[in-house]
Amino acid sequence: KDVVLLNVSGTVMATKRATLMVAEDSMLAQQFDDSKWTVQGSFPSVKAWTPTEVSNWVKDIEGIPDEVGSLFLENEINGSELLALTADGLKMLGVKRVGTICLLSDEISLLKKASNEDKVTQIEHSPYCFGKILDHLRLKQLHSVNLSDEPSSPTVCESQKKSFEKVVDYYFPGESSKFILG
C-alpha cells in the first residue's frame, strides 16, 4: 500500500512513501503528504469493475444509447473483459451500429491507457539525478532507525553536477537543500 511507483522520465523507480517524506520541509514530502496524496490504486481498478459498474460506465458515454449499456449487464461483462473487448467482441455482444462500435472502441482504448497511467507518479527530471536523491533518502531513512551511519552527500559525476543541483534545488528549496548537499 505504501510503495510508490515513479516514472522518472521513462525510468520506473519504486520506493516507500515514507522514504520520500524523510526531509519534512522538502517538496517531495509535501507532494506525498497525507493531505495531498491519494494512494496509487486506492480506487477500484477497471479490471475489478463489476458488470453493473461496466454497464454504468457505458451508459455515461456521450452518444451511446442506454440499451447498449444494458447489453453489457445482460452479458455480465466485468472490467477485465471490458478491457479485452474488440470491435468483433462488441458485435458478438449485440452492438449493431458501426458508429457505436467505433465510439466504444475509442473509449475502451482511452480507459486502458488511463488505467495503466493511474498507477505511476510522473517525475520529469533526470533519472540519474533523481536516483541519487532517492538513494540518499533511503540511506537517511535507514539512519533514522539506527540501521546505518549518517550518509555522506551523494557522489555525482562531473558532467551531471549542474543538473543534480537543479533537481536538488527544485525538491529541496533554500535551506532544505542542505539535507542532500550537506
Side-chain angles (χ1 to χ4, degrees):
K1 171 190 164 195
D2 203 31
V3 173
V4 178
L5 291 178
L6 305 167
N7 178 343
V8 185
S9 296
T11 300
V12 177
M13 299 180 186
T15 192
K16 290 191 172 189
R17 191 165 64 106
T19 300
L20 297 169
M21 296 175 59
V22 169
E24 294 175 10
D25 57 346
S26 72
M27 291 291 291
L28 277 176
Q30 291 173 28
Q31 183 177 352
F32 293 94
D33 178 74
D34 287 336
S35 66
K36 294 182 184 88
W37 175 247
T38 56
V39 177
Q40 291 175 339
S42 63
F43 51 89
S45 93
V46 174
K47 289 182 179 182
W49 283 3
T50 65
T52 302
E53 290 170 314
V54 169
S55 175
N56 290 338
W57 175 79
V58 172
K59 289 176 183 178
D60 285 343
I61 299 171
E62 188 176 332
I64 303 292
D66 282 348
E67 59 268 14
V68 173
S70 298
L71 290 172
F72 283 78
L73 190 56
E74 290 165 17
N75 286 280
E76 298 180 18
I77 301 298
N78 63 33
S80 292
E81 294 165 337
L82 171 68
L83 294 175
L85 273 177
T86 62
D88 287 336
L90 292 169
K91 289 175 193 171
M92 291 186 325
L93 271 177
V95 181
K96 293 180 176 46
R97 294 190 62 241
V98 173
T100 302
I101 291 170
C102 291
L103 279 173
L104 281 169
S105 294
D106 286 351
E107 291 293 328
I108 291 169
S109 291
L110 291 172
L111 190 61
K112 278 184 197 176
K113 187 175 187 281
S115 68
N116 289 334
E117 288 176 355
D118 286 340
K119 296 179 177 101
V120 179
T121 299
Q122 302 291 322
I123 304 282
E124 295 299 326
H125 291 287
S126 157
Y128 174 83
C129 296
F130 193 84
K132 290 286 187 177
I133 291 170
L134 191 54
D135 288 345
H136 188 71
L137 292 174
R138 287 178 176 134
L139 291 171
K140 286 279 200 180
Q141 178 77 7
L142 289 172
H143 175 69
S144 73
V145 291
N146 298 319
L147 291 175
S148 75
D149 294 333
E150 176 73 32
S152 57
S153 296
T155 304
V156 179
C157 68
E158 196 61 40
S159 65
Q160 294 289 321
K161 281 191 177 180
K162 284 186 180 180
S163 183
F164 179 74
E165 288 171 4
K166 284 181 184 178
V167 176
V168 170
D169 286 343
Y170 177 80
Y171 285 112
F172 303 87
E175 291 294 309
S176 67
S177 66
K178 291 180 182 174
F179 191 82
I180 300 292
L181 301 175

